[in-house]
Structures are given as structure tokens and as C-alpha cells.
Amino acid sequence: MDLTSLHLGGIQLHSMKRLTLCIDCSDEPGLIARVTGVLHRHGGNIVENGEYVDPESRRFFMRTAVEDVKDPDLLLRVLKTELPEIATIRLQDPSNKRVMLMATREPHCLGDLLIRAAYGDLPMDVCGVIANHEDMRSLTESFGVPFHFCSHEGRSRDEHEVQVGKILDEVKPDLIVMAKYMRILSTDFIRRYPNRILNIHHSFLPAFIGANPYRQAWERGVKIIGATAHFASENLDEGPIIAQDVTPVSHHHRPKEMARNGRDVEKRVLARAVRLVLEDRVVVTGNKTVLFE
Amino acid sequence: MDLTSLHLGGIQLHSMKRLTLCIDCSDEPGLIARVTGVLHRHGGNIVENGEYVDPESRRFFMRTAVEDVKDPDLLLRVLKTELPEIATIRLQDPSNKRVMLMATREPHCLGDLLIRAAYGDLPMDVCGVIANHEDMRSLTESFGVPFHFCSHEGRSRDEHEVQVGKILDEVKPDLIVMAKYMRILSTDFIRRYPNRILNIHHSFLPAFIGANPYRQAWERGVKIIGATAHFASENLDEGPIIAQDVTPVSHHHRPKEMARNGRDVEKRVLARAVRLVLEDRVVVTGNKTVLFE
Amino acid sequence: MDLTSLHLGGIQLHSMKRLTLCIDCSDEPGLIARVTGVLHRHGGNIVENGEYVDPESRRFFMRTAVEDVKDPDLLLRVLKTELPEIATIRLQDPSNKRVMLMATREPHCLGDLLIRAAYGDLPMDVCGVIANHEDMRSLTESFGVPFHFCSHEGRSRDEHEVQVGKILDEVKPDLIVMAKYMRILSTDFIRRYPNRILNIHHSFLPAFIGANPYRQAWERGVKIIGATAHFASENLDEGPIIAQDVTPVSHHHRPKEMARNGRDVEKRVLARAVRLVLEDRVVVTGNKTVLFE
Amino acid sequence: MDLTSLHLGGIQLHSMKRLTLCIDCSDEPGLIARVTGVLHRHGGNIVENGEYVDPESRRFFMRTAVEDVKDPDLLLRVLKTELPEIATIRLQDPSNKRVMLMATREPHCLGDLLIRAAYGDLPMDVCGVIANHEDMRSLTESFGVPFHFCSHEGRSRDEHEVQVGKILDEVKPDLIVMAKYMRILSTDFIRRYPNRILNIHHSFLPAFIGANPYRQAWERGVKIIGATAHFASENLDEGPIIAQDVTPVSHHHRPKEMARNGRDVEKRVLARAVRLVLEDRVVVTGNKTVLFE
């Protein structure tokens, strides 16, 4: 969105820093009026706005991009007094997030994200790549990004994850993106990064959960294949879905050609999900996501 | 949306009638806060909400679906005092709109809309079909809908439009949908129904404006064809676009096969545009539309 | 395809009747040369041609649309001597096939097929509609099509299927299309019509097999829903897939809105599958289909 | 396609080198029988086959992927005696083609092609990148690919093209791919490489020909934007179209966001077109392409 010309609900005097306000609280009457009222009184100019109430949990979610807020800290404090006690309120500036990528042997998702980061297409700084094979080292390092080789061979799952965890503890990324990382992470590991590990699964979930989804798709004789970006959760391939897309196939496609065509879908679905998360547009509620687009 | 379980910003006591509030005014600070504040004080429970500021015209557009408003007339009066003088405010109930369909000889769009209306898929009552050929009479009448045959043969354009206009004057439809009506209407005629005549053009506008778009597409050798639903405007095929969609074609498709495949796109694009308009989700600004989806 | 101007491999003297040749036999060297050689010697002008060898079964499939064959019976006899003993050879003229539709209470697929048949968009004569509810009677009869009400209430599955079977025995349709027929047919019943019963399932199979797929989709939080047309087989929802398509959904879609949007996908996927089958473009091999498009 | 298991019309004894046979000649009866007969007598095992007759030019096109040909040179000589005098026959092995990329300042198409080439996703060797800006040097060189900076500044069009032409004369690429090369090439230049220069245009041609297509799209208020890969021809943006694809946009998208989303479409459309051309699946007839997929 062009900050210098688009806004909502207020004349824009000059282009100040944009902040994103995310609210998550139990629903009650008048919340939109209260939040937008507070924003207005603090000089905030709303440039994007979205709300959602989860019909099951009765929770209210709101995402507002706002400019010209005079005193963000004061705004936050006032909002907290206006909203229900258990509200979660985040006010974030749009500076680049720090992202750790994880890979195994395939370059399509990893390379796509590295290029996007290097040329400013995605608001992220890639602070490193962790891989359980050496194959992606040269691609990674050609972008000036540190490559951490964590072999799983000769190591137990626990030992391997301790090694990976150490790197994450040092780097402290805001987000971890598994760009075709083909090792299964333990429940304990995933629990340490709730809704912060993004994964791409090479099928149209929940179809073809598990190993070799393209072979499964070929065996079933489907006419469309897909890919699914989701948060990693304790149950493999069952975390909250962020983005999905598909591509047609025919009887001419064997698993190998399905995999080839599928890679293009994986790549664009993962990039889309990463963008949504980096722009604070994704809220998790239960095992689903709300996307403020 | 499930009225009994989904809402935003307020506990829902019982399912009252839903109203749609549409606002169009010059932009100024705090509009969202003011509108949602008024709604809250009048008992209104917001179940859907969308805003937009046109960066060119600096106009503010807002669409809010609201339930439980105690006194809609009072709400409207109060809103008018709160908003800029030149605001357009409409508060509409979701009852079926009255729609006149216009057709020539093809059944695909007409039949699709008649079935959707007959079985409650679209919130409209079809109050008649005007056609310049007799071909669609039996299809129309099988749905119990009056069929008005207005031949253009042996008549000047003016005479023909006078005849069509008489029927419209009597029936007074809320909306006129040209479901593959293949006569060009005069500027004078169209001006009488501003943003109330919906048309489907059988190309991906602005490609292939004018006659025989499928032949044009075939001659150009495109790999995708499309359809465009738009409001009829003074310049043919140049009115505000509401919906577009496409379908792939190959060198095997001659104009005849393009037309056949294209009909399926026309049908679904027109139905989608009609739904958006009937649900008050379409605002025209300049020569563009804003869709509150 | 425009018969008067498009052909392959031979000057077209005049537009003779087009025939479709379908071959299914064990693979061996030189089959294409042999078949096209025989066709050429019998005056046949190939206007469309496709081949496929199933890598698992080693069976060879060929579909050829041919014009100007002087003596079709002789052609068939000669082909039989040229091909492996176990070849299946069919030479079909493109006259309309006789189709029985089955429905329950929803009009979208049924009405779409009735309109397409009535106006020549699909090469079929609808010889009747069998339904287990009365709801679709008036829609069916408005197209001059016989409506057979076969209630399942107060009847065992067997009794109900006997009743349905009687109608099919009398009418002897070439194809049976379940246009949202919501009763499960027994294995015995389905076995009587191998690869002749077409069904539309309202999910992107194999995701959401079974009942209430839209509710399942909503519970899983998918971002895309779909529909699948397939031949009915002994295992419910597991027959050979003919066509699939999808449409995006968001967190705003509850099961009800998913069902509404999904109906548009069901309708177009079913129509596409029916067209492919009517044009002899679908071959079943194992539990998959080969589509000659 | 999996060479070791899929073939047509003949038992496969062992996996020999695959060849692609492309034929372009005036149409006459029995061509398919003649070609497949010759192939069979020379041991050729057909693994893929496609034919097309252009209804306007009456020319016959055939593409056959064949394995196990004993003596390719002999096969070619025999085919020439069997086909009309003016036939063009090419028999190509599937070794990588040599490709020169051209770029200006954007990395999305260029980087995507460099990664695909580096990791064997596309059958090409990138023999260099020619660019009229320095921006893409480091990306290019990180893949070990020579970067040729040909500034257009202070040079006439002719002088600039002489410089570019010199590099091409030395490198002699099989194919030139303009991966967002934003300079217009002269007719003379393009004529030297007929159907060998591939371009990506950032609109759904023929809509929005010329400069700033995303701005044009925004001004027209379209709901879908697209990209078009085509052969460069004497008339800018009017060459034979190879591939097109689209992505939805809304009123929220300004030209800047359209460009951002459009880049993802450009990238995948160009990669798809490059693959088709590299695999000898594209035939130009008049100003259109035939795709053997």
C-alpha cells in the first residue's frame, strides 16, 4: 500500500511511521468503537482495518494499520484500560523481522526466499540457514547468509535437535521457516516455538498426509495437486493452515512430474504465507488461522 | 454468514433483522470511530465491517452489516448529524431486490439466474425477462416469470428503447441485468439507470472490446480467455468492472470452442457480480468499483 | 472442433460423419503405425488423435476421431485382425447419448444439466430424472423430462434399489449421472453399471471423504475447497476420478457459505466430466482415468 | 516423464537415448501413418506423440518423442523421401540448450531461471547474462555465470545493439530469454533471431500493450492482472504468445502492489514458456503457437 497517498478516516499531513495494532480479547459490545475512538484521540490515522469474531471461542480479533500515532506507549496503556482484562495487544513497527530458514536438499523454496529477502521483496532479514545436508551451502553463502550444517547422521533425534536448538538460542529469530526441511521435528522442539515455525507441505492438506504425497496423489489418480503452508504443531501436518494453492495434473504426470510441477506451487504458497506472517496478518485461533488481508 | 452465531464487537442477545449501512463521504479524521460509536449507542451489533478511502477522490466509503439496531430511522438521523454534510448514507434491509433480466437468444446466463432466483440462491425476485428474440420465452415462462418480447426488427433504436423503457417504467426494478443481451443500448437509455444496469462482456476486458471477442481472441492466439461483468456506462464495454474470471484455451480451440468454454465463465462471473450487487457490496467510485467482501 | 475446417493428415473433400475409434489392448511395438495405416487405407481422415500406455498394466489406449471412413464395419473387421487378440475396439458415432439423471433436493447440478441438454450444449438426451424427493419435479418437468419419484422412506435399501433398477431396466440409458443424489447405492447396484454411473462429490477427494465434507473442511480450516466428479465404484468416494476443481475460502466462510460457493464448483466439475464421458474421451485403467482432451 | 517406465506403441527393451522429431509440412492424407510406419521400421519406440493441422495454412505439425532409434541419420534421410518436398524435419537430442539471459534491474525472473538452471530443473546451460544496468551482476556471478554489462547510456539504439550483438555472435546461444529486459529492441535486431528471443510482458496481452501496464490496469480498475510470455517479433508486444497466467487483484491494490503480485505471475509464466521451448514443444504458425504438451 502506498503510504503517501492511501489512508482511511483522517487527513494525512505527512507520512509518519506506520504501526500495526493487533488485538485479541473476549468479545463484547462496542469494541470497534472503543478501539477506533482511542486511536483517533491519539492522532492515529487508520490506513487498514480488519476485525473478526471467532464464532466458537467468542474471541474478538482486530488488526489495524495506523499512522501518525503521537505516543505509541501511551496509546498502548490507554488501550489496555479500555479493553477486557485478558486482551492481548501488540503494537508493532514494520521493521524487518529476523528469520531463520531450514532446508534439506532442495533449492526451490530456499532460493526463492533468499532472493526475495536480498532484494527487499519480503520484509525480513535472513539470519541464517540450518540444514541437515551440505547441498544448499553454496546457494546460501552466495547471498552472504550464514549456513549451519547440522547433520542428523549418527545422532539421535534428541541430539540433533539440541544442536539445532543451540543455534536458534544464539540467533533468536523472530520466525523459523522450514523451506522444505525434510526431517520431522519432535513435539518438544515445536512446543518451544509456538506459532513461530512455518512449514510447507507438498500436498493439498488434509489429503495425502505423511510421506511421499506426490506418489500418493499419483496412486489415487487425482487431477489436481497442491501445497499447504501451515504452522508446525504437535501433530505433524495438522497445524493451522495459512495458505494453499493447486495446479492441474493429468494421467501423463508420474510422481516425478507431479513433484516438478508441485515445486512451483510449494514455492509460491510458502512465499505467500511468509509474507502474511511477516506483515502480522495471521492470527491463530484454535487450529485455524484468521488472515487480515 | 450464519446470523445466529457470528458477529463482531458485541454480545448478541437474539437474532434481530440485519441491516446494511453504506456510507460515502469526503474523508476526514475519526470517521470510523464516529460511525461505530453511533452504532454502538443505538444497540447496533456489527457483524461485518469494511472501509476504503479512494486515494484519488479522497472519498471515504464504509459498509457495515449490523444487527439489533433499536430504531433505524433515529440511527440514520443521528448519523447524518455526525458525518460531513455531503455524506450519502443508506441503511438497507436485506429483503430480496426486484430484478429485470434482459436476454437475446442464449440460455446459459439467463437460465442460471432463473434457477438461482427460483431456489433462493440469490436474494432477488425476477420480475420479468425482456428479450429481442422469442427463443428464451419457454425457458422464462417455465419459471413462472413474465416474458416481454421487444423485437428490434423494423424499429429504430429509439423506438425499440421506448418500448423497453415502458416495461421498465411499469415494473420499476431495482436492478437490470443484461444476461447476454446482444443489442447496444444508447447513452440516453443507460443514463436513466446509473449503476443499475449490469452487463456481462465475453472477454477479459479491456482486451477484445467490441464485437466477436472470441474470434478476436482466436486471431491473437491467446492462451486464456475470460469474461467481465461491469456496470453499463455511456461508453460501451468501458463501465466500472465488478468481476472477472478466465479459463485456459489452446491451439485446439477455434472461436466456436472458445465460445463454448467461455459461456461457463460468463455464467459464473455474472452470477458472482449479481450477488455482490444484491448484497450491497459494490460501490462505484470514478470508473472503478470497490468490493466489500 | 469445427468439422468443416480442421483436420489432420489428409485433405478433407467433404464433411462426412465423424466417428470415434477407441482401442484398448496390450502394448506392443508399432501399434500407432498399424492403426493409422489401416485408417488411411480405408479413407479415414484423422481429425484428432491421442495415445497412452499405462506404465503399470502395460496396456495401450488410443482414441482417434476420424472422418470419411468409407465402410466402418469393414474397418472394424480389419482392425481386429491387425491388433492383439485381446483388444477392445469401439467405433462410435457422435449421436447423442441417452442419460438418466438422479437427484435428491438440490437444483444446481440438475438444472445446469437440464439446460445444457435442452439447448444442445451437451450431446445428450435426458431420458428421465429419478429422485428420492419430490422437490425437483417441477424443474424437471418444465423441461419436458419424465420425473420418477422413488421414495426411500419406509423401504429397505434393497427395496428402494429394486424400484430404481426397474426404471433403469425400462429406459436403458447409456449413462447414469448422479446430480447430487444423496443416497448411498449398494455395491451390488453399482456393479450392474460398471463405469457408467457418474457421481459428483462435494470435496476435493481424497480429502473429506464421507458425510458433511464442507463441515469437515471448515473444521480443518482449509483455505481452498473443491469438488470431484468420479465414476461410482464399490467403495464409496473412491472410484476413478474424472475431473476436479477448487475455489478459495477464508475464515469468513462457515460451512453454509462453503456449501454455497462449493455448489458453483460442483456444477462446473460435473458438467465437464459429463462432457468428457459423452465425447468418449474418458478411459478407465485400474482405478484411474485417462482423459483424451 | 519417466523414461524407464513410460512409452507408447512398443515394448521397451532398454532405455536408449530419447530423440524428439518435429515435422512441419503441407498437409496431405496419411501422414501420421507414414511417419509412425517409418519410425517403427527403424526400431523407434514412440513415448509421446502429438499432431496438429493449422486450419488456415493447411500445414501439418507433428512432434514425436521416440526412443531406441537404431540409426538416427538414416531415419532422417528416409523420412525426407516419405514426406512432402517442403517438409521441415528436425531430430533433436535432449541435451541442454545454451541460453543467454537478458535483464535490466529486477531479480525475480532472472534469479528464478538461474536457480532452475543451476539445479537441473530446466534443461539449459546459462551461457551468460546481458544487462543494461549493473544491478544484477552479483546475483548472476554468484551462480558462476558471466555478466555482460552493456550500458545504453550515451549510446544510440544502434550502437547499443551492436554491442549486444557482438556478445551474441561470440556466444552463439540457442535461445535468448529477456528476463525483464526493459529496453525495446529494434526490428532489425529481432529479425536476426527469428523465434529465438523469448520475452515476458507484464500484462495479460493484448490488454495493456506498451509502457506501465500495471498502472494501466489500475486505471482501468480490472479485477485480474496477468503476464504473457511470447516470442519477440517485429511489432512490440505482438509476437506469438506461448504462455499466460493471471492473479486476482482488488481495489486495495495500487500499481505498486499490482506490480508486486504480478512479479510472481511473470516469474512462473516465463519459466513455463522457457521449459516448453527448451523441450521443443512450441511450434510457431503464423502469429500463433502450437504447444505439444
Side-chain angles (χ1 to χ4, degrees), chain C residues 5-12 27-34 36-38 40 44-46 48-56 58 60-61, chain D residues 5-12 27-34 36-38 40 44-46 48-56 58 60-61:
Chain C
S5 52
L6 173 60
H7 72 135
L8 291 167
I11 302 295
Q12 182 177 343
D27 188 28
E28 59 180 48
L31 287 173
I32 301 174
R34 268 188 275 168
T36 55
V38 170
H40 178 52
N45 181 24
I46 297 174
E48 254 193 283
N49 193 40
E51 311 95 1
Y52 182 68
V53 173
D54 185 323
E56 293 172 294
R58 313 302 311 160
F60 171 83
F61 301 97
Chain D
S5 52
L6 173 60
H7 72 136
L8 291 167
I11 300 296
Q12 181 177 343
D27 188 30
E28 59 180 48
L31 287 173
I32 302 174
R34 269 187 275 168
T36 55
V38 170
H40 178 50
N45 180 24
I46 297 174
E48 254 193 284
N49 193 39
E51 310 96 1
Y52 182 68
V53 173
D54 185 323
E56 292 172 293
R58 312 303 311 160
F60 171 84
F61 301 96

Side-chain angles (χ1 to χ4, degrees), chain C residues 61-211:
Chain C
F61 301 97
M62 184 168 179
R63 179 191 184 274
T64 306
V66 65
E67 291 177 351
D68 302 330
V69 170
K70 289 169 206 151
D71 185 340
D73 291 333
L74 179 61
L75 174 73
L76 258 186
R77 283 199 303 275
V78 173
L79 271 175
K80 273 177 185 159
T81 66
E82 291 266 352
L83 292 177
E85 217 173 317
I86 52 167
T88 304
I89 309 174
R90 286 175 302 144
L91 193 60
Q92 298 169 93
D93 68 20
S95 58
N96 277 7
K97 290 198 172 54
R98 301 179 63 255
V99 178
M100 177 64 78
L101 303 178
M102 295 182 71
T104 295
R105 312 185 73 163
E106 290 174 285
H108 58 292
C109 287
L110 180 69
D112 185 57
L113 293 174
L114 287 170
I115 290 181
R116 288 177 190 268
Y119 290 92
D121 180 68
L122 284 173
M124 69 178 180
D125 298 319
V126 179
C127 46
V129 170
I130 296 172
N132 60 328
H133 283 270
E134 281 279 15
D135 306 56
M136 292 297 105
R137 180 182 290 280
S138 74
L139 180 65
T140 300
E141 293 181 347
S142 74
F143 286 90
V145 169
F147 183 84
H148 307 275
F149 173 48
C150 296
S151 177
H152 60 276
E153 284 189 48
R155 287 191 174 87
S156 70
R157 180 184 305 267
D158 274 4
E159 288 167 345
H160 182 240
E161 290 188 352
V162 164
Q163 193 190 14
V164 172
K166 259 188 207 162
I167 298 166
L168 294 173
D169 287 347
E170 277 173 35
V171 175
K172 293 187 179 44
D174 300 306
L175 187 69
I176 300 160
V177 176
M178 300 204 288
K180 298 287 285 180
Y181 182 71
M182 305 306 279
R183 298 282 299 170
I184 295 171
L185 296 171
S186 71
T187 298
D188 279 351
F189 186 93
I190 287 169
R191 274 194 192 134
R192 291 172 55 193
Y193 310 94
N195 296 335
R196 284 173 52 207
I197 306 179
L198 236 162
N199 187 36
I200 180 78
H201 184 77
H202 41 315
S203 88
F204 187 83
L205 288 175
F208 312 129
I209 281 182

Side-chain angles (χ1 to χ4, degrees), chain A residues 215 218 254-257, chain C residues 27 52-58, chain D residues 1-8 10 12 14-15 18 45 47 67:
Chain A
R215 174 156 288 273
W218 176 72
R254 309 250 344 201
K256 191 179 160 189
E257 287 80 39
Chain C
D27 188 28
Y52 182 68
V53 173
D54 185 323
E56 293 172 294
S57 66
R58 313 302 311 160
Chain D
M1 210 159 289
D2 186 343
L3 297 194
T4 61
S5 52
L6 173 60
H7 72 136
L8 291 167
Q12 181 177 343
H14 54 284
S15 180
R18 179 183 292 202
N45 180 24
V47 291
E67 291 176 352

Side-chain angles (χ1 to χ4, degrees), chain B residues 142-162:
Chain B
S142 73
F143 285 91
V145 169
F147 183 83
H148 307 275
F149 173 49
C150 295
S151 177
H152 61 276
E153 284 189 48
R155 285 192 176 88
S156 69
R157 180 185 304 267
D158 273 5
E159 289 167 346
H160 182 241
E161 292 188 349
V162 165

Side-chain angles (χ1 to χ4, degrees), chain B residues 121 275 279, chain C residues 253 255-264:
Chain B
D121 179 68
R275 181 185 305 283
E279 295 180 354
Chain C
H253 292 82
K256 190 179 160 190
E257 286 81 39
M258 288 192 179
R260 189 195 69 192
N261 291 13
R263 283 195 293 268
D264 286 354

Side-chain angles (χ1 to χ4, degrees), chain B residues 59-71:
Chain B
R59 291 196 73 75
F60 171 84
F61 301 96
M62 184 169 180
R63 179 192 183 273
T64 306
V66 65
E67 292 176 351
D68 301 330
V69 169
K70 289 168 207 153
D71 184 340

